[in-house]
């Protein structure tokens, strides 16, 4: 009995509704401060979560800015990808604004608000159900583009690994993702990839990415009918501990996560388990065909995978 009460209390504390309620005073103060910026919405993200979880925050901020006709000024410091002292804006290392907010309106002081969780902005409840895949892509690239060194690295890897329209991408997210998605065995995942190859004879090679070295070894040894190339990642999960909580150099693992997602986006078709990283491949390339082998759990049915699953279900019904 006591155990059930404790479990219920833990679920309540993790719930979006509870966190949203607790963060109300901070949220009111933040928006009051930002109204003083007169057309600029300046947010510094200091969240201790995965790279693409932070990217979700960026996307929600951009939706708000578009709705309110504001110019976004987004930075990200500290957390899992910056330096311990928070001096490096690691978001600007990977992305650059299409236009600079400070250059547009530098006639007055711009106040930057710091957030460590999406609930401090109050945007998930407001925008989650409105997000659509193509609109998310258009919105992001309206405001930001890849840093030149990232684009060059992706181009070089695509050429070296033979990634293109005839490549079947595969992404398996392991470690703690079982908390947010229905688990899929390695064998079943490989059989899904085999089936997809059989249904798409124009595909000539495979490109696989994962956070687990043991899975990559298993996939590489599977007797696929097409050659397999593995994502050039140096930093992988340490046992059951996710990559971003394994104590690796923050900027390095952030770069690898972004590059892996972009490489998957260059494939002709992608087979994947639920993961922000590979779901963002569709945002980076809205023409990418995606096959989800399992759905996100009901209490973690979040964009972009939620929309990918609904889109896939509609296509299956139509077929």
């Amino acid at each position: 009995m006591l155990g059930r009460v404790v479990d219920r209390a833990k679920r309540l504390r993790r719930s979006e509704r509870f966190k949203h309620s607790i963060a109300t005073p901070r949220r009111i103060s933040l928006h009051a401060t930002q109204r003083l910026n007169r057309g600029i919405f300046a947010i510094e993200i200091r969240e201790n979560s995965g790279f693409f979880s932070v990217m979700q925050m960026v996307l929600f901020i951009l939706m708000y800015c578009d709705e309110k006709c504001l110019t976004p000024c987004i930075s990200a410091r500290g957390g899992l990808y910056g330096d311990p002292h928070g001096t490096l804006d690691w978001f600007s290392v990977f992305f650059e604004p299409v236009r600079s907010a400070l250059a547009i309106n530098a006639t007055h002081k711009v106040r930057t608000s710091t957030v460590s969780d999406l609930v401090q902005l109050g945007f998930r409840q407001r925008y989650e159900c409105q997000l659509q895949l193509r609109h998310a892509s258009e919105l992001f690239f309206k405001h930001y583009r890849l840093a030149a060194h990232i684009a060059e690295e992706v181009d070089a890897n695509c050429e070296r690994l033979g990634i293109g329209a005839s490549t079947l991408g595969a992404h398996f997210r392991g470690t703690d993702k079982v908390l947010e998605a229905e688990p899929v065995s390695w064998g079943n995942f490989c059989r899904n990839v085999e089936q997809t190859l059989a249904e798409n004879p124009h595909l000539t090679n495979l490109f696989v990415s994962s956070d687990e070295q043991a899975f990559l070894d298993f996939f590489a040894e599977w007797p696929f009918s097409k050659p397999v190339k593995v994502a050039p990642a140096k930093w992988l999960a340490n046992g059951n501990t996710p990559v971003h909580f394994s104590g690796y150099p923050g900027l390095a693992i952030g770069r690898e996560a972004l590059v892996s997602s972009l490489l998957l986006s260059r494939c002709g078709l992608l087979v994947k388990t639920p993961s922000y990283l590979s779901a963002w491949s569709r945002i980076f390339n809205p023409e990418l065909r995606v096959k989800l082998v399992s759905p996100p759990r009901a209490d973690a049915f979040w964009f972009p995978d939620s929309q990918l699953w609904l889109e896939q279900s509609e296509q299956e019904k139509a077929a």
Side-chain angles (χ1 to χ4, degrees), residues 291-309:
K291 178 182 178 182
L292 263 173
V293 300
S294 66
R297 293 189 185 277
D299 59 352
F301 201 67
W302 299 320
F303 183 88
D305 276 323
S306 59
Q307 289 298 307
L308 289 171
W309 183 257

Side-chain angles (χ1 to χ4, degrees), residues 82-150:
D83 61 288
H85 304 291
T87 57
L88 175 70
D89 175 10
W90 59 262
F91 182 74
S92 69
V93 172
F94 303 122
F95 303 99
E96 57 187 40
V98 172
R99 55 179 187 163
S100 172
L102 299 182
I104 292 170
N105 194 348
T107 60
H108 65 276
K109 178 183 178 181
V110 174
R111 300 160 178 83
T112 300
S113 298
T114 301
V115 297
S116 58
D117 194 292
L118 184 55
V119 296
Q120 294 170 359
L121 292 165
F123 292 162
R124 183 183 290 281
Q125 288 87 344
R126 188 170 184 169
Y127 297 121
E128 177 80 28
C129 62
Q130 300 179 29
L131 279 166
Q132 298 295 322
L133 293 161
R134 185 170 293 277
H135 176 245
S137 178
E138 293 170 351
L139 181 63
F140 183 79
F141 285 111
K142 173 183 176 181
H143 293 284
Y144 289 96
R145 55 179 169 245
L146 294 173
H149 66 97
I150 294 294

